[in-house]
Amino acid sequence: MTPTTTKTRRPLATPPIAASPFPYNPGSLLSVYDLTLEALSYLLARATALENQDPLTRARILAKRRIALLFYESSTRTRTSFELAAKGLGADTTLVSDKSSSIEKGESLKDTGLTLRALGAEAIIIRHPSSGAAWQLEAETRLPVLNAGDGMHEHPTQALLDLRTILAHLRPGIEEITAETLSGVTVSITGDILHSRVARSNMLLLPRLGARVILCGPPTLLPEVAAQAGPGIEIVRDFEAALRQSQVVMMLRIQAERVVGLQLDLDEYKAAYQLTGQRLAAFAPTAVILHPGPIIRGLELTAGVADGPQSAILEQVRNGVAIRMAVVERALATDQGGRA
Ligand code: CP
C-alpha cells in the first residue's frame, strides 16, 4: 500500500530569527503596535455594531464569561468603561485593586495573575504604574491581557477611542482604515508628553494612518529626543504656532503623581501652554479639542474651553465604552477576525 499524504516538514538549515513572542495570546491587546490596519478597521466596525446592537442580544455574546479588572492605579474612565463594556456583553467582572487586596500584603504581579487565573478569570484587564507590567502578566498567565495603561508606556484603548473620536469629526462614515486615512490631518499633543502613555500610544498609531503629529510643551515635559520617536512626529515649542497648524488639539494634564523633583513654574506654564478661549478663537477656531482626562480646569485648559462647542472630551469618554466592548469581545472570541 502506498503511504498516504502525511507531510513531514524538512528541518530548517538555520533556526528562524526569534521574533518577539508578544502577544502570546491572540486576544491580548498590549500595544497599538500589535494591531494591523485590518485589525483596526475590524475593531472600529465592531465598536459601532456593538454600540447599535439590542442590549439583550449583546448580553449573550460573552454571557457568564469571567473577566478580572486588576488595577494598581486610580482610574475613573478606563476602569468604569471596561467594566460597563464587559457587562454589556454579558460577562461577569471582578475588580481587584491594589488598595483592598493581598497586593497590599506584598503579593507579586505573577502570583496575583496566577491566582486570578485559578479563580477562573478568562481575561485580565490591567492598569499598573510600571511600564511593561501588561507584558509580564501575559507571559506569566498566557491569558488574554488588555493593557489599560502601563506606567509611562502605553494606553492602547485610549488611542483607539481617540481615533474613533477623530474619525467621527474629520472622516465620518469611513469604513476601512488605510495608511492614508488621516492624510492632511495634523494632531497636536500639548503638555506633559514625558510621562504620558496616551501620547505614546497616539504617537505610535496616528502617523501609521497618515497623520502628522506635533508635540508641544516645555523641555522639562517634552525632551528633544521625543521627535525621534518615529516618522511623522515633530516638536513645535510655540503653542500658538502648533495650534495654527492643527485640526485636532489634544491637551494633556501634568502628571503630578509621576513628577518627582520637577522644577516647573505653573504660572509660566499657563502663560505659555494653557488652552484659553482667546487662543482657540485666534489660532484654531475649527479644531476638535481632545483630552484623555482627568482634566484640571484652569491649568492646561480653561473651563470655558472644556465645556465649549469645540470640546469632544465627553465624546471620547462615550467612545471608550464602544471601543472597549470591541476589544473585550476580541479578547474572548474564538474567531479573531481582523488579526494578522
Ligand atoms: N483616560 C484615562 O485613562 O482616564 P482614567 O485615568 O480616569 O482611567
Side-chain angles (χ1 to χ4, degrees):
M1 211 161 85
T2 39
T4 52
T5 56
T6 310
K7 285 185 182 161
T8 51
R9 191 174 286 180
R10 279 195 311 153
L12 293 166
T14 50
I17 296 165
S20 163
F22 294 104
Y24 287 107
N25 192 299
S28 291
L29 180 56
L30 303 176
S31 163
V32 285
Y33 214 66
D34 300 335
L35 297 171
T36 61
L37 296 181
E38 291 77 14
L40 283 170
S41 299
Y42 172 82
L43 285 174
L44 289 165
R46 283 306 290 159
T48 301
L50 290 165
E51 190 175 54
N52 294 331
Q53 196 165 12
D54 163 56
L56 292 177
T57 311
R58 194 172 60 202
R60 288 200 284 271
I61 294 174
L62 295 181
K64 306 314 285 178
R65 305 291 297 271
R66 291 181 181 169
I67 297 177
L69 294 114
L70 177 55
F71 274 64
Y72 289 75
E73 273 188 353
S74 314
S75 167
T76 298
R77 280 147 287 270
T78 312
R79 200 190 92 187
T80 310
S81 58
F82 259 123
E83 190 167 353
L84 290 174
K87 287 196 160 113
L89 298 173
D92 289 340
T93 63
T94 185
L95 171 68
V96 178
S97 138
D98 61 323
K99 307 274 185 329
S100 56
S101 69
S102 289
I103 296 166
E104 268 196 324
K105 302 173 195 161
E107 189 161 43
S108 68
L109 177 60
K110 171 177 177 169
D111 290 320
T112 303
L114 294 177
T115 300
L116 291 175
R117 192 180 70 183
L119 287 166
E122 295 170 78
I124 302 177
I125 299 161
I126 181 171
R127 169 167 289 192
H128 199 283
S130 299
S131 302
W135 280 255
Q136 187 197 339
L137 182 67
E138 207 218 19
E140 303 289 8
T141 65
R142 303 299 168 106
L143 289 175
V145 169
L146 303 179
N147 183 0
D150 64 316
M152 299 175 354
H153 186 214
E154 273 224 55
H155 195 346
T157 55
Q158 178 70 42
L160 293 179
L161 74 88
D162 291 343
L163 176 61
R164 189 173 199 245
T165 312
I166 292 169
L167 293 174
H169 283 263
L170 302 183
R171 301 285 186 268
I174 199 153
E175 289 186 352
E176 195 188 338
I177 299 299
T178 72
E180 279 86 43
T181 294
L182 293 179
S183 294
V185 173
T186 298
V187 180
S188 60
I189 308 178
T190 300
D192 187 357
I193 312 286
L194 179 65
H195 300 104
S196 177
R197 52 198 175 206
V198 175
R200 207 97 51 229
S201 286
N202 274 295
M203 286 156 66
L204 284 172
L205 179 64
L206 297 175
R208 286 174 60 206
L209 314 185
R212 176 174 167 239
V213 172
I214 288 178
L215 305 177
C216 183
T220 38
L221 299 177
L222 172 56
E224 204 58 39
V225 71
Q228 294 166 24
I233 297 170
E234 58 197 272
I235 290 177
V236 175
R237 298 275 178 202
D238 179 341
F239 185 37
E240 291 170 1
L243 287 177
R244 204 181 286 117
Q245 300 172 61
S246 304
Q247 287 75 50
V248 179
V249 173
M250 185 182 295
M251 301 302 296
L252 301 175
R253 83 185 163 93
I254 298 170
Q255 298 196 24
E257 69 275 29
R258 295 186 218 284
V259 171
V260 180
L262 194 74
Q263 297 300 316
L264 194 71
D265 182 314
L266 287 185
D267 288 329
E268 277 179 24
Y269 182 81
K270 285 193 276 186
Y273 298 107
Q274 187 182 66
L275 187 59
T276 62
Q278 289 93 325
R279 275 193 169 129
L280 200 53
F283 301 107
T286 60
V288 183
I289 310 302
L290 303 183
H291 193 309
I295 62 173
I296 309 297
R297 289 168 185 256
L299 183 44
E300 68 271 15
L301 78 179
T302 60
V305 169
D307 300 331
Q310 288 175 249
S311 170
I313 296 171
L314 294 179
E315 271 175 61
Q316 289 173 273
V317 175
R318 280 192 292 278
N319 282 332
V321 180
I323 284 292
R324 288 172 179 129
M325 279 196 288
V327 167
V328 167
E329 180 193 48
R330 174 180 175 272
L332 290 182
T334 44
D335 168 18
Q336 300 293 335
R339 276 187 65 81

